[in-house]
Amino acid sequence: MADGPSFLGEEVDLCVVGSGAGGAPIAHALSGAGAKVVVLEKGPWYQKEDFDHDEIKNARRDMWAPLVMDEPHLQTTEGGPRQPTNNGWIANNVGGGTVHMSGYFYRLHPEDFRLGRRYAGLEDASVADWPIGYEELAPYYDKVEKTIGVSGAAGAHPFEPPRSGPYPLPPVATNPLAKLVEDGARKKGWHPFQIPRAVLSRPYKGRSGCVYCDYCGSYGCESGAKSSTLAALVPEAVATGRCEIRPHSMAFEVVIDAKGRASGVRYYDSDGKAQMQKARVVCLAATSIETARLLLNSRPQSFPDGVANGSGLVGRNLSFSTLAKGFGEFERAKLPKGLQPVPPNHFLDRAIQDHYFIDGESTFDKGGTIHYILPHRNAIYTAERLAKRHEPMLWGEALTKEIKRYYAEVHQVEFEIFGEFLPGPKTFVSVDGDTKDKFGIPVATIHLQRHPAAIRNARTLASLGVQVFEAAGAESTWTDAVGGTTYVLQHGTCRFGSDPSRSVLDPDCRSHEVKNLYVTDGSFMPSSGGVPTTLTILANAFRVADKMIEHMKG
């Protein structure tokens, strides 16, 4: 654990639950403005020396998310039985999911803020307009990029959302195989562009540039080049002397006083002892699922159905991102000379947004982003993926032969789809009390009903993504997980809006019912967008921080 102030036993100005994309900007901004802040984080506080490339430790144990036997979620899909799962966990550690993210930092498009009116008549969907527009969030997109360090090229494609200037850093270096995607897309008349990354392409603000270790997503960054909140925001907040990061602190109740205001948060400390952190203002940023769980489990007399849940909307309108994957395989011997060797750089980083809205779809035309990458380097994962591609699954000598072929004879390129996930009445979070975690706290149940229109459009995007491989000369192509769910992108369980009967939060992400309670993780979002949403959550958190400073001064 890093050094920093301790406010144990004191009332502070602000208590923040969670230290990832939604929580760290609040702590950073408020402590910088003079407020005394405590951040409760349920997991450990990793340092750079804790990070390595051990696949077992990082991808198959509980370094980031808890084991199902200790802290399950329950999930029921399409009305099926409830099953224990680790779906819905993003990360339990200081910095949250930003520590092991890949750092794909797209902006939402202006149209994403107005989908409620666009799809007002869509059956079994509950999309709503945002109470703010792109123009209000745009300065905070700029602020995030400059504050934490984002590498990219402005003006890279005709569909880019408006921006005020260049990225603070030039693009990261990429694998020569990116040319396959570029050539294939241009043959189709589309506009490939390099993905902006929350990875430093060169030294920035005292942090090292990327060393291109090839283990980015699913891993912590031992060089500090990944622009996680752990690397970019937490140290600056702690350095003010007014922000305490308190790891191993599992929040289980938002406390409401006799005046109907939040007076603090109860939590279990590292010894399993119940503690109370008193605060003038409380901000929740524990992920959409876990924030809803915390509110629904907090049931004072004034809120028998959960804190801030007089509308009955806490946990409702849950959305994720609609998924599809595709692969193209190219024989090395047939590729141009510059692409034949195995390059050392694993960043491919190309995307297409020509189909952010799909031509010819009248009822629901929202598409998304086709996002091209190289398959993850993890060795065990690679063997599993190759085995499961075939029917029946490969084993023994046949699998060994396929692995040798993969590493010696072919290049595979992958795409994944970030598609609009339509919230609806059958996709939500509940807390039922029958199943409890290792702390004795009732767990969250994820109710999932995928909308057929979103699945259809994911299938369309997958088909378009494969066409790029075919145009580039791939020997074979295939798709996987079409219409699936990306659980680490979560939104909507405390939707913001101007009407208290239709939303949990006001446009400043403050509870309609508890005026000193804020929510700044993805819970506030009425729609999911066609991009990864980490940048948007960070930007909104900085926006809300400015509002909080105004309110607290008042």
Side-chain angles (χ1 to χ4, degrees):
M1 183 173 67
D3 294 331
S6 175
F7 303 128
L8 193 65
E10 301 180 34
E11 182 179 39
V12 296
D13 298 307
L14 172 66
C15 177
V16 183
V17 179
S19 58
I26 300 295
H28 181 274
L30 272 290
S31 61
K36 189 182 290 185
V37 180
V38 167
V39 178
L40 301 178
E41 172 55 60
K42 78 181 291 287
W45 192 346
Y46 294 127
Q47 305 301 304
K48 286 193 291 187
E49 55 267 25
D50 295 315
F51 300 139
D52 56 29
H53 299 163
D54 184 335
E55 180 182 356
I56 299 293
K57 180 175 114 179
N58 284 272
R60 295 172 181 271
R61 295 291 184 266
D62 59 350
M63 183 165 184
W64 308 116
L67 300 174
V68 173
M69 65 188 73
D70 291 332
E71 298 180 67
H73 287 141
L74 299 178
Q75 181 169 328
T76 169
T77 303
E78 267 80 47
R82 299 186 183 195
Q83 302 287 346
T85 180
N86 62 2
N87 287 343
W89 286 111
I90 298 176
N92 294 176
N93 50 270
V94 174
T98 68
V99 179
H100 65 74
M101 69 177 178
S102 295
Y104 303 125
F105 266 35
Y106 300 87
R107 298 184 179 202
L108 291 180
H109 290 216
E111 297 88 344
D112 287 318
F113 296 76
R114 302 186 294 268
L115 296 185
R117 69 194 75 174
R118 189 178 185 118
Y119 304 124
L122 190 59
E123 189 176 356
D124 293 327
S126 56
V127 182
D129 285 346
W130 293 43
I132 64 172
Y134 178 87
E135 64 281 355
E136 185 169 344
L137 201 57
Y140 294 99
Y141 280 136
D142 295 340
K143 182 172 184 175
V144 173
E145 291 167 358
K146 293 173 183 176
T147 301
I148 69 172
V150 175
S151 302
H157 63 107
F159 311 103
E160 182 179 39
R163 52 182 304 115
S164 62
Y167 285 90
L169 292 157
V172 296
T174 56
N175 191 297
L177 290 172
K179 190 175 186 301
L180 292 172
V181 173
E182 292 176 349
D183 290 348
R186 288 177 181 138
K187 286 179 181 178
K188 300 295 298 181
W190 302 334
H191 302 81
F193 62 92
Q194 184 166 351
I195 300 164
R197 296 291 297 266
V199 175
L200 304 185
S201 57
R202 63 188 182 198
Y204 188 73
K205 292 189 173 183
R207 291 161 46 214
S208 301
C210 183
V211 297
Y212 301 99
C213 69
D214 289 356
Y215 287 86
C216 197
S218 303
Y219 291 83
C221 183
E222 62 267 39
S223 71
K226 187 186 296 185
S227 295
S228 64
T229 62
L230 174 68
L233 298 181
V234 168
E236 292 184 2
V238 172
T240 66
R242 293 182 292 272
C243 179
E244 178 190 355
I245 308 295
R246 198 173 293 167
H248 300 292
S249 299
M250 175 60 179
F252 65 88
E253 182 183 6
V254 177
V255 180
I256 303 297
D257 65 20
K259 297 179 180 180
R261 296 177 64 85
S263 59
V265 177
R266 296 184 70 207
Y267 67 97
Y268 292 116
D269 64 17
S270 58
D271 296 321
K273 182 179 179 181
Q275 303 280 5
M276 167 72 168
Q277 178 57 58
K278 295 182 179 180
R280 290 174 53 209
V281 176
V282 172
C283 179
L284 305 184
T287 75
S288 298
I289 291 170
E290 286 297 295
T291 287
R293 176 194 179 196
L294 176 56
L295 290 171
L296 293 171
N297 273 326
S298 303
R299 301 194 177 194
Q301 187 173 359
S302 54
F303 289 103
D305 297 321
V307 164
N309 194 31
S311 64
L313 293 175
V314 171
R316 312 300 299 193
N317 301 306
L318 172 66
S319 68
F320 300 101
S321 181
T322 301
L323 172 68
K325 291 184 177 183
F327 297 85
E329 186 170 274
F330 301 83
E331 291 185 16
R332 296 187 186 185
K334 295 181 181 180
L335 290 174
K337 185 176 180 181
L339 302 184
Q340 287 183 19
V342 178
N345 181 4
H346 202 64
F347 291 164
L348 188 79
D349 288 359
R350 294 299 185 271
I352 297 169
Q353 290 190 336
D354 294 67
H355 315 289
Y356 208 75
F357 290 90
I358 300 173
D359 292 338
E361 293 289 356
S362 56
T363 306
F364 177 65
D365 63 349
K366 182 62 187 293
T369 303
I370 309 175
H371 172 104
Y372 290 86
I373 57 177
L374 293 176
H376 205 293
R377 292 259 183 167
N378 280 345
I380 300 172
Y381 163 77
T382 298
E384 288 181 335
R385 182 173 62 80
L386 295 175
K388 292 177 180 178
R389 178 191 166 190
H390 296 267
E391 183 63 39
M393 184 186 298
L394 297 181
W395 294 93
E397 184 177 348
L399 178 56
T400 301
K401 182 178 179 181
E402 181 68 6
I403 292 171
K404 288 180 178 179
R405 176 179 173 275
Y406 173 76
Y407 282 110
E409 299 176 21
V410 300
H411 284 306
Q412 287 183 5
V413 179
E414 178 181 354
F415 69 73
E416 55 185 333
I417 299 301
F418 295 99
E420 192 76 37
F421 187 104
L422 285 167
K426 295 181 180 179
T427 298
F428 61 96
V429 172
S430 68
V431 173
D432 308 307
D434 293 335
T435 302
K436 296 179 173 63
D437 63 14
K438 68 178 182 180
F439 300 99
I441 306 170
V443 306
T445 298
I446 303 165
H447 303 256
L448 179 66
Q449 184 80 34
R450 290 174 282 235
H451 199 285
I455 294 174
R456 179 197 68 214
N457 287 7
R459 187 177 298 115
T460 298
L461 289 175
S463 174
L464 294 166
V466 164
Q467 290 179 34
V468 171
F469 293 145
E470 292 171 342
E475 273 73 38
S476 61
T477 63
W478 63 98
T479 59
D480 186 23
V482 177
T485 304
T486 303
Y487 291 98
V488 295
L489 300 176
Q490 302 174 14
H491 329 92
T493 57
C494 297
R495 177 180 282 182
F496 76 159
S498 300
D499 184 349
S501 69
R502 295 176 179 271
S503 56
V504 176
L505 309 172
D506 71 12
D508 296 342
C509 289
R510 179 168 56 169
S511 165
H512 287 300
E513 300 172 292
V514 183
K515 294 301 183 182
N516 65 335
L517 174 65
Y518 293 78
V519 176
T520 54
D521 53 33
S523 303
F524 78 95
M525 294 176 62
S527 53
S528 68
V531 296
T533 46
T534 306
L535 172 59
T536 295
I537 294 170
L538 282 158
N540 182 69
F542 274 116
R543 181 188 72 89
V544 173
D546 282 352
K547 303 293 185 181
M548 292 175 70
I549 292 168
E550 293 176 15
H551 295 159
M552 291 177 75
K553 286 179 177 178

